[in-house]
Amino acid sequence: MRFSIRTPSRFTLMEAGLLGLSLALPLGLLVLPDPASGQDRPFTSMEIARDDEDACRVPKPPADLAETAYLRNGYRAILRILIAEDALASDTCTCLMGQFTWDQALDALPRFQTSDNPRLPFNVLQLYAQADALEAEVVAGCAK
């Protein structure tokens, strides 16, 4: 069977159609509708909305607080400890997050420091365990 140079084969047309679909589908997925507002938004801006109960949760520390994530996580745990200690001392069940700053966590470092190594001045896992225990005490005290 001979094919004319002017007439493409069916296989070539099918390939062209598949290629067109493979290029069009990813472009269509980049913009997804926002279910809340019904408007389109870029895929890169998709984020999980915080629950109302997380409104008093200590946020992620700013990137300029410390050079490594390890240190930033430690300062976050220290701030959680300071907030929980203040809540226990004042017997309050209201959110105290707005009364504390990252500078207070930095100033409290000597109290929580376990090493002279400036890159690892504390044990983050121990700080998180201490913060979790204190926050559990606050929740238990407020449940009474």
Side-chain angles (χ1 to χ4, degrees):
M1 180 183 272
R2 296 170 69 189
F3 293 99
S4 168
I5 295 176
R6 292 184 191 174
T7 309
S9 68
R10 283 190 296 169
F11 187 70
T12 305
L13 290 175
M14 187 173 20
E15 283 179 334
L18 289 174
L19 179 63
L21 280 176
S22 67
L23 292 175
L25 284 176
L27 293 175
L29 293 176
L30 289 177
V31 178
L32 299 174
D34 181 11
S37 67
Q39 297 177 350
D40 290 343
R41 65 178 179 181
F43 180 74
T44 56
S45 72
M46 203 162 87
E47 64 184 44
I48 298 172
R50 286 190 171 240
D51 294 336
D52 290 337
E53 59 203 38
D54 284 350
C56 194
R57 186 174 173 210
V58 176
K60 283 180 150 182
D64 62 349
L65 184 68
E67 69 179 88
T68 64
Y70 183 86
L71 292 174
R72 289 190 298 271
N73 288 334
Y75 292 130
R76 181 176 189 227
I78 290 172
L79 194 60
R80 288 176 55 207
I81 292 168
L82 295 176
I83 292 170
E85 286 176 346
D86 195 45
L88 289 170
S90 63
D91 283 332
T92 184
C93 294
T94 60
C95 179
L96 301 174
M97 179 59 216
Q99 299 175 12
F100 288 84
T101 65
W102 292 111
D103 289 335
Q104 289 172 291
L106 294 172
D107 293 341
L109 174 63
R111 180 175 148 204
F112 299 98
Q113 191 167 355
T114 58
S115 168
D116 291 333
N117 184 347
R119 306 230 352 124
L120 303 168
F122 38 66
N123 184 329
V124 173
L125 294 178
Q126 287 177 349
L127 290 175
Y128 267 63
Q130 185 178 354
D132 290 342
L134 287 170
E135 287 174 346
E137 281 184 52
V138 171
V139 169
C142 290
K144 291 180 183 180

